[in-house]
Amino acid sequence: MQKDNTTSDTKMQQNSIGIDPKLLKPYDPKETEDRIYKIWEESGFFNPDVCIEKGVTDKDAKPFTIVMPPPNANGRLHAGHALFVTLEDIMTRYHRMKGERTLWVPGADHAGFETQIVYERKLEKEGRSRFDMKPEDLYKEIYDFTMDNKKFMENDVRRLGASCDWSREKFTLDPDVVKTVQQTFDKMFKDDLIYRGDRIVNWCAKHQTSLSEVETEFEERTEPFYYLQYGPFVISTSRPETKFGDKYVTIHPLDKRYAEYKDGQKIDLEWINGPITATVIKDESVDMEFGTGVMTITPWHDQVDFDIAERHNLDKEQIIDWKGKLLPIAGEFEGIHISKARPMIIEKLKEKGLLVKIDEAYKHNVKVCFKCNTIIEPQIKDQWFVKMRPLADRALDAVNSGKIKFYPDNYEKIFRYWMTNTIDWNISRQIIWGIPIPAKICNLCKKGFSDLKDEMTVCPCGGELRKDTDTFDTWFSSGQWTLLSLGYPDTKDLDIYHPTSVMETGRDLIFKWIPRMVIFALYLRDEVAFNNVYLHGLVNDEKGEKMSKSKGNVVNPIELVDIFGTDALRIALVVGNTPGMDLALSRDRIKGYKNFANKLWNITRFVFSSLPEQFKKSALNTQDAEIMEKFDIEIKDITSDMEEFRFYLAAEKIYHYIWHTFADEIIENSKPVLMGSDEESKTSRQTLLLEILEKSLKILHPFMPFVTEEIWSMMPVRNATHNVAGGPVENKKLLMVEKWPK
RNA sequence: GCGCGAUUAGCUCAGUUGGUAGAGCAACUCAUUUACACUGAGAAGGUCGGGGGUUCAAGUCCCUCAUCGCGCACCA
């Protein structure tokens, strides 16, 4: 081993320019990456202002902006994060090299509900509960916990090579962010876009909070389905425990079977806890085909029933309390949790002869909390709601007029569908970890008021006002993220960098996040939030299966970086990964690209060692000019791929060119020329090899920034901007701010 | 129920405006001190899910069916 190194060492030194001894060993990402990242960060070039100041970017250059989807500050990065960092960094580096005024704003998300759950689990392990703590203490603890973790997340982003401007980093609970979000609430309240109302919300009894539609999931359950005698009717239900207060029986107005019963007709009948008087309601929402075509309604605990009750102005009564226990209306069942009450109620119905039959295997979907899988109990609750219709219409207009383009384009349809069918958005959350809603609520008339300055004490009705203790839904603040991370309401950066150029994020956020950002930017600044939306798919394991903790197939990207190097991971995530499509990430795949990094390293060694000590570039002869021209055509092709967001193709093309054209053909065919005695051909060929290497490094840089920058630092002198033996030199240009080849 | 996506080599996937089917990995044959074994050369492998249509020409456009995946909605 030792001997081998010595021989090649002497050989190299004899007939070539000074070569960095590092080049004589295989490429070592571990030794390189942190060092290079530090050089980049210290150069200041992640910040477009510095680029202008140092003359790297023209101050009139076209801006290019990406706002980073802020990773959850409470945890480490997962494979999906590695993909988004890679894609956004590719775009950022490419546009920076094109000379554009390029800004990538990093961020960190407090991730309200999610983080609180993580912290609650921690409390649970310690035998504590948030319900026994003072709100301020809990907030402080979660804050410290999050801030500790935030550093790890940021460091992970750095290890992935992200060339984002850390000086502009925003955290979703930064004081200015909190202030602005509260001001937005105030503005919307004054513009009559926010109202306080008693409406059905998704209530999670475990977490003691309401949830938006995107925080709930459907789960298929097979449960018994009960047919009950309700006076002259047979009604059906899967939830007999909600039926105590049912005093309205609804029928479709055109249902001939029940034509004899008139709207508003009173019927006396025997029910679970004794005789009641039921009222017949005719409503078109009743499905004649389903069950018996007759249903009783429970407006407090069902959206559809609530809507019917609203239409006919019917009474609404709470049956189940906030912990999931039955209220006094349930009579003898009062205080029993609904999960235990059902069989008891069925037993009683049976005894009373009210149970007609049971379908044992009724398949249906139930709504569950997306975090704890607890069945959601719809409840009527006094909450803040955003009127979505007028806002969504503006978003639709923006998309229809082509101001926002989607990659892949079929997501535009999905976006449209969501904007067309949106319902009012509940923004109140009963959790601590979030931005407080700056509002007061009247104890008497129950009206709510925005009160930014916290100065109102008495309601116009004379009632006493209490402070709203709720916080905003996370998406209320992250919906304003393109604005907030650019300093809104301050316009210094906004005027330059907004609308942002690209919003790159996971395809699952097409509902949760994308529409809200469009809406808020249009509302607050009369601009779209971004001109392009690039959606990536999921990163799955090598078998194509979704990564999950329960399956134990979760891959930590930093672990892969440790083994294969960041560059290898990055390009493995990109090649062949079309937008919107899921990717199966295998170690073999990454290993192949680790080999590629080394191949490039060896190409460099060959090129450098074939140059004489005193080398000056010459003009290319006809044959070499032709080879160069072919590469230039390829570069043009790759450039248009970059412009059209086809990174999966661009990456594959440069990979293929470097390995199979440059190394396998051009270098192999150069050997006889370089060994020959025709000095003119030799110099031409040496020039060619050096130029192809230079251009290759530039094209490859956005994809594999570390190895390319490292090699660039060893490039031999040209125009006195490079030194011979490598290492940082003053005024030396970094590859990251070199110009993209034309 | 409505919508979206997928179906191409053993595996993972590309295939941009229709113009002779591609890559990576795996497997196969050969090369063995080479810039690089983290290598090179070569060969093999596909009626592009089925059926129909448009066209001089279809993996690509249209219709239809099947299978898989995902999303949304209803669910008394």
Side-chain angles (χ1 to χ4, degrees):
Chain A
M1 195 67 189
Q2 184 103 32
K3 201 177 152 202
D4 279 352
N5 272 348
T6 329
T7 38
S8 42
D9 240 351
T10 16
K11 195 171 75 190
M12 296 291 175
Q13 276 166 6
Q14 269 168 3
N15 59 8
S16 68
I17 58 162
I19 284 187
D20 193 304
K22 274 189 297 220
L23 257 187
L24 304 175
K25 293 183 223 145
Y27 173 60
D28 179 8
K30 265 199 168 136
E31 187 281 319
T32 311
E33 291 175 355
D34 289 348
R35 176 168 48 80
I36 294 279
Y37 194 87
K38 216 169 265 166
I39 294 172
W40 287 332
E41 207 171 352
E42 281 165 9
S43 77
F45 292 139
F46 291 169
N47 181 344
D49 303 334
V50 173
C51 288
I52 290 169
E53 204 179 291
K54 295 202 177 168
V56 165
T57 308
D58 195 280
K59 72 173 186 303
D60 301 320
K62 180 175 123 189
F64 178 87
T65 322
I66 296 183
V67 165
M68 183 187 289
N72 198 328
N74 79 44
R76 303 295 294 262
L77 298 191
H78 55 65
H81 289 119
L83 176 58
F84 97 64
V85 168
T86 301
L87 284 166
E88 289 169 32
D89 196 47
I90 288 169
M91 294 187 231
T92 301
R93 287 181 186 273
Y94 167 68
H95 284 275
R96 189 184 293 118
M97 289 176 81
K98 275 184 66 193
E100 291 171 20
R101 189 168 182 175
T102 304
L103 173 62
W104 182 19
V105 190
D109 190 5
H110 74 285
F113 187 47
E114 296 231 19
T115 302
Q116 180 157 327
I117 288 164
V118 170
Y119 202 75
E120 272 179 34
R121 282 198 197 121
K122 189 173 172 263
L123 287 174
E124 229 171 89
K125 271 186 203 154
E126 297 165 3
R128 300 197 286 159
S129 161
R130 74 153 154 133
F131 301 111
D132 307 332
M133 297 173 73
K134 272 200 220 151
E136 315 83 83
D137 294 346
L138 179 62
Y139 186 93
K140 178 79 177 52
E141 279 192 30
I142 303 180
Y143 187 87
D144 293 343
F145 170 77
T146 305
M147 283 306 165
D148 279 348
N149 280 295
K150 186 165 161 270
K151 284 174 246 155
F152 295 112
M153 180 279 284
E154 288 160 351
N155 195 48
D156 286 356
V157 172
R158 284 186 169 88
R159 293 224 38 204
L160 290 165
S163 64
C164 50
D165 182 2
W166 292 104
S167 73
R168 283 178 163 91
E169 190 191 11
K170 274 269 190 285
F171 176 52
T172 53
L173 284 185
D174 281 343
D176 59 322
V177 170
V178 170
K179 193 175 153 200
T180 307
V181 169
Q182 291 182 334
Q183 278 167 350
T184 302
F185 173 83
D186 188 60
K187 180 172 157 64
M188 292 178 92
F189 179 80
K190 286 175 180 149
D191 286 346
D192 198 24
L193 283 165
I194 281 182
Y195 63 94
R196 190 156 179 92
D198 275 323
R199 294 245 333 252
I200 291 268
V201 299
N202 299 305
W203 184 259
C204 174
K206 176 175 160 74
H207 291 115
Q208 291 290 297
T209 182
S210 60
L211 300 171
S212 73
E213 297 307 315
V214 295
E215 288 163 331
T216 62
E217 275 166 10
F218 285 100
E219 222 176 73
E220 195 176 84
R221 298 269 169 104
T222 306
E223 291 181 306
F225 193 57
Y226 308 95
Y227 288 81
L228 309 176
Q229 195 68 45
Y230 188 80
F233 309 107
V234 174
I235 59 151
S236 43
T237 183
S238 59
R239 303 197 61 198
E241 65 276 13
T242 65
K243 294 281 141 196
F244 294 101
D246 286 16
K247 56 183 182 181
Y248 302 105
V249 56
T250 57
I251 300 165
H252 195 282
L254 299 178
D255 197 330
K256 287 181 189 141
R257 291 171 293 179
Y258 307 105
E260 58 180 292
Y261 300 99
K262 305 294 175 220
D263 191 42
Q265 187 176 339
K266 306 273 183 201
I267 298 170
D268 290 322
L269 56 89
E270 180 64 21
W271 195 223
I272 311 171
N273 286 333
I276 61 161
T277 303
T279 309
V280 175
I281 302 292
K282 299 265 180 160
D283 192 280
E284 289 180 357
S285 68
V286 180
D287 183 354
M288 289 190 266
E289 308 292 318
F290 191 89
T292 57
V294 185
M295 70 170 185
T296 60
I297 60 167
T298 315
W300 198 283
H301 298 290
D302 186 283
Q303 181 68 52
V304 174
D305 295 2
F306 176 87
D307 292 341
I308 294 173
E310 286 282 282
R311 275 198 290 278
H312 300 272
N313 202 20
L314 309 177
D315 299 338
K316 308 179 190 92
E317 213 167 343
Q318 188 170 13
I319 316 294
I320 300 162
D321 77 3
W322 306 101
K323 295 258 164 83
K325 289 180 179 165
L326 288 163
L327 288 164
I329 193 172
E332 64 194 86
F333 301 103
E334 180 189 346
I336 300 176
H337 195 273
I338 46 170
S339 56
K340 291 195 185 121
R342 187 182 293 182
M344 296 163 73
I345 294 162
I346 288 302
E347 196 49 43
K348 182 166 186 195
L349 285 163
K350 211 182 202 172
E351 275 167 26
K352 293 186 81 171
L354 295 174
L355 182 64
V356 179
K357 65 166 178 169
I358 304 175
D359 273 353
E360 283 299 338
Y362 172 62
K363 247 193 213 170
H364 67 151
N365 293 325
V366 293
K367 234 184 214 182
V368 296
C369 170
F370 78 135
K371 280 295 153 192
C372 66
N373 276 16
T374 302
I375 294 182
I376 293 294
E377 188 60 63
Q379 292 269 16
I380 295 179
K381 199 168 166 54
D382 197 21
Q383 304 270 279
W384 290 106
F385 291 90
V386 173
K387 284 185 194 169
M388 291 299 275
R389 193 68 270 144
L391 297 166
D393 283 341
R394 288 190 69 187
L396 271 173
D397 287 346
V399 171
N400 288 338
S401 64
K403 282 182 189 149
I404 303 173
K405 278 178 117 179
F406 289 81
Y407 297 86
D409 58 5
N410 61 296
Y411 277 81
E412 185 182 317
K413 256 193 226 166
I414 299 174
F415 177 91
R416 247 203 211 100
Y417 180 86
W418 196 82
M419 289 280 90
T420 312
N421 296 287
T422 185
I423 58 168
D424 284 357
W425 171 21
N426 171 14
I427 54 170
S428 300
R429 293 293 177 277
Q430 292 71 47
I431 59 175
I432 286 295
W433 185 233
I435 299 177
I437 300 179
K440 294 275 167 65
I441 293 135
C442 176
N443 284 337
L444 206 61
C445 70
K446 293 209 160 178
K447 266 192 182 160
F449 303 92
S450 171
D451 183 20
L452 267 188
K453 291 181 188 150
D454 194 9
E455 54 193 11
M456 292 170 74
T457 51
V458 183
C459 177
C461 84
E464 198 184 322
L465 291 175
R466 66 170 175 85
K467 216 170 172 175
D468 190 350
T469 52
D470 289 352
T471 51
F472 287 112
D473 176 9
T474 299
W475 302 104
F476 187 79
S477 47
S478 49
Q480 301 170 53
W481 199 237
T482 59
L483 301 167
L484 293 167
S485 54
L486 289 169
Y488 180 90
D490 186 282
T491 56
K492 191 172 77 93
D493 273 354
L494 277 171
D495 287 345
I496 300 165
Y497 299 107
H498 201 274
T500 63
S501 311
V502 186
M503 173 48 61
E504 191 288 327
T505 189
R507 56 142 212 248
D508 50 321
L509 292 168
I510 184 72
F511 294 126
K512 295 180 187 179
W513 197 29
I514 301 286
R516 304 194 204 281
M517 283 191 285
V518 175
I519 279 172
F520 277 113
L522 284 167
Y523 172 62
L524 293 172
R525 211 179 136 78
D526 204 15
E527 268 179 359
V528 292
F530 27 73
N531 297 311
N532 297 286
V533 178
Y534 182 103
L535 296 161
H536 62 251
L538 295 171
V539 181
N540 292 325
D541 74 0
E542 46 207 318
K543 289 177 200 138
E545 282 175 39
K546 195 172 170 175
M547 292 185 191
S548 76
K549 278 181 198 155
S550 53
K551 268 190 252 172
N553 60 348
V554 177
V555 175
N556 172 1
I558 301 305
E559 208 173 284
L560 296 173
V561 162
D562 285 337
I563 301 170
F564 302 106
T566 299
D567 291 328
L569 173 64
R570 285 172 59 123
I571 197 162
L573 284 167
V574 171
V575 172
N577 184 9
T578 42
M581 292 283 293
D582 294 349
L583 174 81
L585 182 66
S586 73
R587 288 185 176 228
D588 278 347
R589 196 185 162 90
I590 309 170
K591 198 179 152 203
Y593 292 109
K594 179 182 158 70
N595 295 353
F596 175 56
N598 195 55
K599 184 76 184 179
L600 183 67
W601 195 253
N602 285 315
I603 288 170
T604 307
R605 184 194 308 170
F606 177 86
V607 173
F608 284 9
S609 63
S610 68
L611 300 177
E613 208 167 331
Q614 295 294 319
F615 177 69
K616 264 200 140 143
K617 278 187 183 175
S618 73
L620 298 178
N621 62 28
T622 322
Q623 193 196 356
D624 291 346
E626 249 171 54
I627 294 172
M628 198 67 235
E629 200 183 322
K630 274 190 193 154
F631 188 28
D632 286 340
I633 291 168
E634 186 77 19
I635 288 173
K636 208 177 149 194
D637 195 31
I638 291 171
T639 304
S640 76
D641 287 336
M642 298 297 282
E643 290 294 324
E644 296 299 316
F645 300 95
R646 293 187 296 258
F647 311 113
Y648 60 102
L649 283 185
E652 192 181 342
K653 281 175 188 168
I654 189 60
Y655 166 89
H656 204 262
Y657 182 86
I658 290 173
W659 199 317
H660 300 296
T661 303
F662 188 28
D664 291 349
E665 288 172 21
I666 300 171
I667 287 184
E668 285 309 316
N669 298 339
S670 297
K671 285 177 182 172
V673 182
L674 295 169
M675 302 291 255
S677 52
D678 182 345
E679 287 303 320
E680 215 172 289
S681 301
K682 209 190 262 188
T683 320
S684 168
R685 185 51 64 115
Q686 285 162 337
T687 306
L688 177 76
L689 293 180
L690 196 55
E691 288 196 343
I692 291 181
L693 179 62
E694 281 172 9
K695 285 186 183 175
S696 297
L697 291 174
K698 289 178 182 176
I699 304 289
L700 190 60
H701 179 73
F703 304 97
M704 303 182 82
F706 289 107
V707 67
T708 50
E709 187 76 75
E710 174 75 345
I711 293 173
W712 189 260
S713 75
M714 303 178 209
M715 282 304 253
V717 173
R718 305 172 308 157
N719 320 325
T721 56
H722 297 90
N723 71 333
V724 179
V729 163
E730 238 179 299
N731 295 327
K732 180 173 180 175
K733 244 180 164 182
L734 291 168
L735 178 57
M736 69 172 284
V737 289
E738 278 287 338
K739 289 287 165 286
W740 184 262
K742 286 198 179 116

